[in-house]
Amino acid sequence: MTELLVLDGRELTCGPNAPRDFAAAVTGPGAGRALVTFGTVEHPLNLELSLSLLSSLGPVLTVYPNHGCWSDLSVREDVDPGRTHGVGENRLHVDLVDRDRLPRYIALYCVRSDPRGGGASALADLWQAADALSESDRDALGEPVFSYFADNGVHGVGTSLERFAILPPQIGAEPIRFTAKMHPHLQRGELTAGPEPELAAAAFGRLVDAAYDHRVTVRLDPGQLLVFDQHRYAHGRMPLGEGQSSTSPQQRRLLKQSYVAAAGGGSL
């Protein structure tokens, strides 16, 4: 992933402008995403320093208060392979896609990489994907007729929208509410209240294809932090390496995840 801005986390937490230099780098040359390296695997310290950096982007959320600011993204074999803790591909999506205060940034910190060599993180530029669509497709996806399953037990992210548009009136001014997991439902005429569900499903399918055309991946190493603006970038996970059952849970891939609201506390 050569175009991903790489930053030195220790340098960004020192000096008179720390951590504002981090925010300037992410929102400027990073185009909304960056890979932060700390150079050590002192995870408790790195996680504290990460919160300092993240706070320069906006309020750090406790979406799951029982977990604190960081939630574990561990690997389990007793869940759907395509879900958060699964072993398969987690398709491109935006977290909390239906919330009216959708978090602006996501941070993923690597404690352990997959010893089987898989589990790379994926990002896709939804601005570029939307730009690749026809005007008629953008119009169809701009109608507030879509819905998605609400997450329970989440905090600080507002209420679940009954209906929403996938694309905002002006790309870049508001989040793109995208999850590739909607597509099979739309193809069955579900999750849309529009008068022509088959046209909505076809337009959304072309957006999914465009997102995957712009997908890039990065396999995080221990002590690295991936930060991205999920109002612009969808994210996902590539399949973990084969043989997870022969790897103990204490050795499997482990990421820590945190959310950041927009600087004003709203959706933008």
Side-chain angles (χ1 to χ4, degrees), residues 47-173:
L47 289 168
E48 282 195 32
L49 295 177
S50 295
L51 291 179
S52 173
L53 297 177
L54 295 175
S55 68
S56 68
L57 295 169
V60 177
L61 299 170
T62 51
V63 174
Y64 305 98
N66 289 340
H67 299 169
C69 294
W70 295 101
S71 297
D72 284 355
L73 302 184
S74 56
V75 176
R76 293 166 48 192
E77 293 185 286
D78 60 343
V79 299
D80 182 336
R83 303 296 291 179
T84 299
H85 299 279
V87 299
E89 178 191 354
N90 191 357
R91 303 201 73 201
L92 293 171
H93 63 282
V94 169
D95 280 4
L96 302 160
V97 67
D98 63 303
R99 293 287 161 163
D100 66 347
R101 302 183 70 173
L102 192 156
R104 183 70 187 255
Y105 291 94
I106 290 180
L108 300 174
Y109 177 85
C110 181
V111 177
R112 293 190 300 268
S113 57
D114 179 14
R116 299 287 175 172
S121 297
L123 293 178
D125 191 333
L126 296 177
W127 291 5
Q128 294 181 1
D131 189 57
L133 298 179
S134 67
E135 184 176 352
S136 60
D137 279 350
R138 288 195 292 269
D139 287 344
L141 297 174
E143 293 295 324
V145 297
F146 299 91
S147 63
Y148 199 62
F149 309 105
D151 288 287
N152 297 317
V154 294
H155 301 269
V157 292
T159 60
S160 177
L161 297 170
E162 184 176 353
R163 298 289 173 186
F164 55 84
I166 304 298
L167 300 181
Q170 181 179 351
I171 301 299

